[in-house]
Amino acid sequence: MSDTVGNAANAANATTAARTAPAAVIVGIDGPSGTGKSSTSKAVAVKLGLRYLDTGAQYRAITWWMLSNGIDVNDAEAVADAAGKPEIVSGTDPAAPTITVDGADAAAPIRTQEVTSAVSAVSAVPEVRTRLTELQRAIAAEAPDGIVVEGRDIGTTVLPDADLKIFLTASAEARAARRSGELKGKEATDLAATQAALVRRDAADSGRKTSPLAKAGDAVEVDTTELTLDQVIECVVTLIEERRSAAKDAEKRSA
């Protein structure tokens, strides 16, 4: 085969592959704690071959760093001054997501009650949000096949131009039951206490001045109260596939 014919064949194959490959898609999934964001986001990313980013883990990571380095998390000025110091790296493989702080594995320590109790205060500091928002946008931009990004301000602030925005909700009772089931050992609490803690966290995150927890105007709301995890996953997968199909149709019309 001549070089000319070979090059033409390669070009044709590349064009065919581009036409049949799923369109890259950036998905933002927001919502309060206990709605199933993490489990849903990871499973959807695995199923559709997308990358995955848990932005909440990044806020927990920077909070853990503050606590470990003697920063008063209730001193907004001190937190702001230190916001740029830790190096936070998020692995985006949905089957095995990782997070390190200054090279150390932070997956376990960021899930302690101490971090949970302090993360809202640290997350409310504008300098922290600016730093992590820039990091999150960079990670999303580097995902060639698309990514599922979960958090509390993805659709409104981090990725306002996301291809699809989803806002998961659930009753306070359902969320408390799920979260209580996730807690182990000494951190396990009764449902009433867990529900009260969730309500306080939601109030703090919804009421902060910078990038509050909120549903984007163009987000699709999914109430997970009466749904199983598998049902929520299937719902989100369907929404993404519909968006991909629409993008492909629009591409064909403009060709």
Side-chain angles (χ1 to χ4, degrees), residues 43-145:
V44 167
V46 168
K47 196 166 186 176
L48 296 180
L50 304 174
R51 308 309 290 177
Y52 162 74
L53 176 62
D54 176 1
T55 64
Q58 294 179 327
Y59 283 101
R60 285 177 170 272
I62 201 167
T63 299
W64 175 62
W65 184 92
M66 297 283 176
L67 293 168
S68 300
N69 285 273
I71 307 297
D72 182 355
V73 296
N74 294 308
D75 183 341
E77 186 174 344
V79 170
D81 288 342
K85 294 181 179 179
E87 180 186 15
I88 298 171
V89 178
S90 297
T92 58
D93 178 355
T98 59
I99 186 160
T100 63
V101 180
D102 293 339
D105 182 3
I110 66 172
R111 300 297 173 181
T112 64
Q113 186 57 47
E114 182 183 22
V115 171
T116 298
S117 298
V119 68
S120 286
V122 172
S123 300
V125 177
E127 288 80 0
V128 170
R129 301 206 72 82
T130 296
R131 191 274 173 97
L132 292 185
T133 294
E134 291 174 352
L135 176 59
Q136 291 153 12
R137 287 173 177 166
I139 292 172
E142 293 170 0
D145 297 322

Side-chain angles (χ1 to χ4, degrees), residues 44-254:
V44 167
V46 168
K47 196 166 186 176
L48 296 180
L50 304 174
R51 308 309 290 177
Y52 162 74
L53 176 62
D54 176 1
T55 64
Q58 294 179 327
Y59 283 101
R60 285 177 170 272
I62 201 167
T63 299
W64 175 62
W65 184 92
M66 297 283 176
L67 293 168
S68 300
N69 285 273
I71 307 297
D72 182 355
V73 296
N74 294 308
D75 183 341
E77 186 174 344
V79 170
D81 288 342
K85 294 181 179 179
E87 180 186 15
I88 298 171
V89 178
S90 297
T92 58
D93 178 355
T98 59
I99 186 160
T100 63
V101 180
D102 293 339
D105 182 3
I110 66 172
R111 300 297 173 181
T112 64
Q113 186 57 47
E114 182 183 22
V115 171
T116 298
S117 298
V119 68
S120 286
V122 172
S123 300
V125 177
E127 288 80 0
V128 170
R129 301 206 72 82
T130 296
R131 191 274 173 97
L132 292 185
T133 294
E134 291 174 352
L135 176 59
Q136 291 153 12
R137 287 173 177 166
I139 292 172
E142 293 170 0
D145 297 322
I147 190 170
V148 179
V149 183
E150 59 136 319
R152 294 182 169 228
D153 65 341
I154 309 306
T156 55
T157 301
V158 179
L159 300 170
D161 296 323
D163 298 301
L164 177 63
K165 304 172 189 177
I166 296 171
F167 193 84
L168 299 184
T169 65
S171 69
E173 293 80 8
R175 294 192 293 119
R178 293 168 184 167
R179 181 48 54 90
S180 182
E182 294 172 358
L183 299 175
K184 299 178 181 179
K186 295 181 180 178
E187 294 185 11
T189 57
D190 61 72
L191 281 176
T194 301
Q195 183 173 329
L198 287 176
V199 170
R200 287 195 299 272
R201 171 86 188 275
D202 292 344
D205 289 352
S206 299
R208 66 175 176 244
K209 293 182 179 180
T210 304
S211 301
L213 164 65
K215 174 188 171 184
D218 55 348
V220 178
E221 183 170 324
V222 178
D223 189 335
T224 69
T225 302
E226 301 296 334
L227 301 179
T228 65
L229 176 59
D230 285 343
Q231 288 173 325
V232 178
I233 293 168
E234 188 57 36
C235 176
V236 174
V237 166
T238 298
L239 289 169
I240 294 174
E241 289 180 333
E242 288 175 350
R243 191 58 53 95
R244 275 178 160 174
S245 178
K248 282 285 188 181
D249 291 341
E251 184 179 309
K252 289 178 182 178
R253 287 195 298 270
S254 63

